């Protein structure tokens, strides 16, 4: 955001916004949240709020018997609850002299670079005008394949989208514990994580509350995305007084997770936001050229092409054992690529297909993972 400090993204979960049994809004938490955000914005710190709670607050209005909701029922509840939530935020923020804006995103926005840039420009414009964007998934149109699954992941993507320098995940527990503190008296809070690994995801286990869909596991997964985008993460308890301001001041309010290296914007998008349309399988020579030597991918190293994609789409790069070693923006469509796979660049030129680029995936449009399975890019 031009002329301003980097934004901060704050995510609050359903369990902190809605009472588990009565499904009523927890106005105390909303009031404290908006007061702290107002203090930030007034101090020149642009702030994005990612708020869950639409399904939880909308559900009672459907007057359904007590049972698990079907997908259309959840989507209907979200449509009811989203308006109720916004009304609450609108009231609370306007008392602080601030304007709010509703931004509903879906997974496919993140997978399409043009829509991604539009979403980013909209959010940036709002922040430039001291408006507080309130973001949620567009639950009404979300279907399985395009769901974020949970707003923790959404908030990590949003943090990347706006170039945030911190993501604060507010929930009903004050951080990650070595074991479930509700059942294990030995459990202790982890205050600082330097190098977030899968080990912590296992530690987070399947913990979760009755309201919302996240739990600690999805927070750690979201933190994996954010920290690899270069954004530090704090997991803290929503109803701790001044939790946001204290977290930003570096106080030990919960679990703080350090950022990993920072990637350039386009690579970030390739690594974390883009939906792959297909895959190329490459031989051992190409694996070593990509992983060890940092080269571009040429047709000669490709042994197989799967999926239907066009030039400009993102594809996965796999080794012959099937392990994903990276991903990138491909310069050829799937049909052309099948024609030229295994061929040397000079022969491709004589075929007349290669009017554009000799590289199938240029180095600058590619992310190669540090180690197989991990999503850190080089
Ligand atoms: N988008 C859902 C809602 O607002 C919540 C998803 C989540 O809990 O992470 O109800």
């Amino acid at each position: 955001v031009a002329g301003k400090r980097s934004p901060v993204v704050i995510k609050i979960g359903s369990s902190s916004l809605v009472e588990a049994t009565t499904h009523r809004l927890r106005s105390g938490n909303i009031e404290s949240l908006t007061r702290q955000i107002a203090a930030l914005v007034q101090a020149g710190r642009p702030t994005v709020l990612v708020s869950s709670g639409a399904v939880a607050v909308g559900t009672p209005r459907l007057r359904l018997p007590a049972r698990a909701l079907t997908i259309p029922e959840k989507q209907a509840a979200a449509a009811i609850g989203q308006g109720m939530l916004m009304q609450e935020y609108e009231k609370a923020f306007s008392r602080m002299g601030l304007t709010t804006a509703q931004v509903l995103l879906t997974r496919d926005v993140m997978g399409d670079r043009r829509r991604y840039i539009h979403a980013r420009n909209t959010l940036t414009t709002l922040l430039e005008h001291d408006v507080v964007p309130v973001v949620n998934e567009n639950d009404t149109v979300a279907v399985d394949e395009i769901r974020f699954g949970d707003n923790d992941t959404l908030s990590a993507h949003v943090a990347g989208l706006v170039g945030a320098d911190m993501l604060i995940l507010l929930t009903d527990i004050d951080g990650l514990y070595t074991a479930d503190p509700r059942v294990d008296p030995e459990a202790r809070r982890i205050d600082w994580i330097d190098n977030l690994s899968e080990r912590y995801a296992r530690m987070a286990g399947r913990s979760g509350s009755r309201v919302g869909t996240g739990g600690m596991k999805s927070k750690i997964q979201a933190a994996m995305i954010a920290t690899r985008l270069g954004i530090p993460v704090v997991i803290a308890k929503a109803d701790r007084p001044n939790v946001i301001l204290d977290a930003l001041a570096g106080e030990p309010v919960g679990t703080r997770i350090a950022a990993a290296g920072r990637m350039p914007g386009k690579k970030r998008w390739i690594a974390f936001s883009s939906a792959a349309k297909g895959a190329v399988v490459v031989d051992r020579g190409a694996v070593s050229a990509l992983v060890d030597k940092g080269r571009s991918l040429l047709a000669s190293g490709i042994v197989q092409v799967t999926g239907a994609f066009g030039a400009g789409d993102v594809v996965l790069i796999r080794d012959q054992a099937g392990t994903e070693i990276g991903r990138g923006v491909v310069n050829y469509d799937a049909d052309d690529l099948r024609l030229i796979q295994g061929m040397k660049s000079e022969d491709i030129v004589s075929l007349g297909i290669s009017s554009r680029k000799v590289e199938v995936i240029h180095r600058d449009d590619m992310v190669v993972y540090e180690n197989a399975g991990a999503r850190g890019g080089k």
Side-chain angles (χ1 to χ4, degrees):
V1 178
K4 284 194 187 252
R5 298 179 57 195
S6 296
V8 50
V9 173
I10 294 156
K11 186 261 167 176
I12 184 153
S14 301
S15 61
S16 307
L17 292 168
V18 183
E19 291 302 340
T21 43
T22 62
H23 284 254
R24 283 227 198 82
L25 278 170
R26 303 174 66 159
S27 357
N29 278 356
I30 293 179
E31 149 75 30
S32 140
L33 185 71
T34 49
R35 194 179 26 75
Q36 293 178 73
I37 292 176
L40 286 179
V41 174
Q42 271 137 21
R45 187 88 143 122
T47 306
V48 179
L49 176 63
V50 177
S51 176
S52 303
V55 173
V57 78
T59 299
R61 299 286 177 107
L62 285 175
R63 300 180 196 291
L64 296 165
R67 57 163 166 80
L69 268 54
T70 65
I71 290 172
E73 284 167 355
K74 274 193 199 161
Q75 291 178 307
I80 299 167
Q82 183 63 27
M84 296 167 71
L85 267 183
M86 280 314 294
Q87 195 183 5
E88 202 64 24
Y89 283 126
E90 177 62 41
K91 263 198 312 205
F93 278 113
S94 70
R95 271 198 299 266
M96 317 276 166
L98 287 177
T99 302
T100 51
Q102 170 182 262
V103 177
L104 300 177
L105 298 174
T106 44
R107 173 88 222 187
D108 53 346
V109 174
M110 300 297 182
D112 178 319
R113 183 138 179 102
R114 276 180 42 233
R115 298 177 73 187
Y116 175 89
I117 286 168
H118 278 286
R120 189 183 66 194
N121 291 345
T122 304
L123 284 165
T124 304
T125 304
L126 291 167
L127 295 176
E128 271 165 4
H129 290 83
D130 291 333
V131 175
V132 180
V134 179
V135 178
N136 197 353
E137 181 164 21
N138 190 354
D139 291 310
T140 310
V141 300
V143 292
D144 274 341
E145 314 86 281
I146 58 166
R147 272 192 76 89
F148 277 95
D150 62 80
N151 278 356
D152 296 322
T153 313
L154 174 64
S155 69
H157 285 289
V158 168
L161 198 64
V162 298
D165 64 1
M166 176 156 305
L167 169 63
I168 301 176
L169 299 172
L170 296 179
T171 184
D172 51 9
I173 182 165
D174 63 341
L176 176 65
Y177 279 74
T178 52
D180 187 342
R182 289 168 299 190
V183 294
D184 188 343
E186 301 280 275
R188 61 175 183 83
R189 191 177 82 193
I190 301 168
D191 288 347
W192 176 257
I193 298 175
D194 233 342
N195 189 358
L196 189 62
S197 61
E198 292 294 337
R199 191 163 73 87
Y200 293 100
R202 284 194 296 274
M203 207 175 273
R206 304 211 156 272
S207 61
S209 49
R210 273 171 296 167
V211 200
T213 55
M216 196 48 73
K217 195 173 184 182
S218 75
K219 287 183 181 54
I220 297 299
Q221 273 153 1
M224 294 244 185
I225 297 172
T227 54
R228 283 169 189 179
L229 293 172
I231 304 163
V233 175
V234 173
I235 303 172
K237 199 163 194 283
D239 56 14
R240 183 189 192 279
N242 276 329
V243 61
I244 298 171
L245 304 175
D246 288 349
L248 285 167
E251 303 277 334
V253 294
T255 299
R256 190 174 288 268
I257 309 168
R262 207 169 168 87
M263 266 186 237
K266 186 167 190 193
K267 291 212 178 194
R268 271 192 271 159
W269 174 76
I270 292 169
F272 298 104
S273 301
S274 60
K277 299 274 165 59
V280 291
V281 179
V282 302
D283 64 18
R284 285 177 60 185
V287 171
S288 132
L290 300 182
V291 176
D292 306 325
K293 305 196 186 87
R295 303 241 168 91
S296 296
L297 176 65
L298 303 178
S300 56
I302 298 177
V303 296
Q304 200 195 336
V305 177
T306 60
F309 50 83
D313 281 341
V314 172
V315 296
L316 306 178
I317 306 168
R318 292 210 164 95
D319 65 16
Q320 283 170 289
T323 307
E324 191 183 326
I325 60 165
R327 50 171 70 196
V329 178
V330 70
N331 288 325
Y332 293 84
D333 66 34
D335 291 337
D336 282 352
L337 207 49
R338 284 193 184 97
L339 219 58
I340 63 167
Q341 70 181 61
M343 287 174 67
K344 294 238 177 321
S345 303
E346 359 9 316
D347 301 331
I348 301 167
V349 176
S350 67
L351 260 182
I353 306 173
S354 175
S355 49
R356 304 161 302 248
K357 291 167 179 158
V358 291
E359 299 89 2
V360 170
I361 301 177
H362 191 276
R363 190 67 211 173
D364 294 344
D365 298 330
M366 183 195 306
V367 172
V368 174
Y369 308 140
E370 301 264 339
N371 43 33
R375 299 288 299 275
K378 264 190 197 165

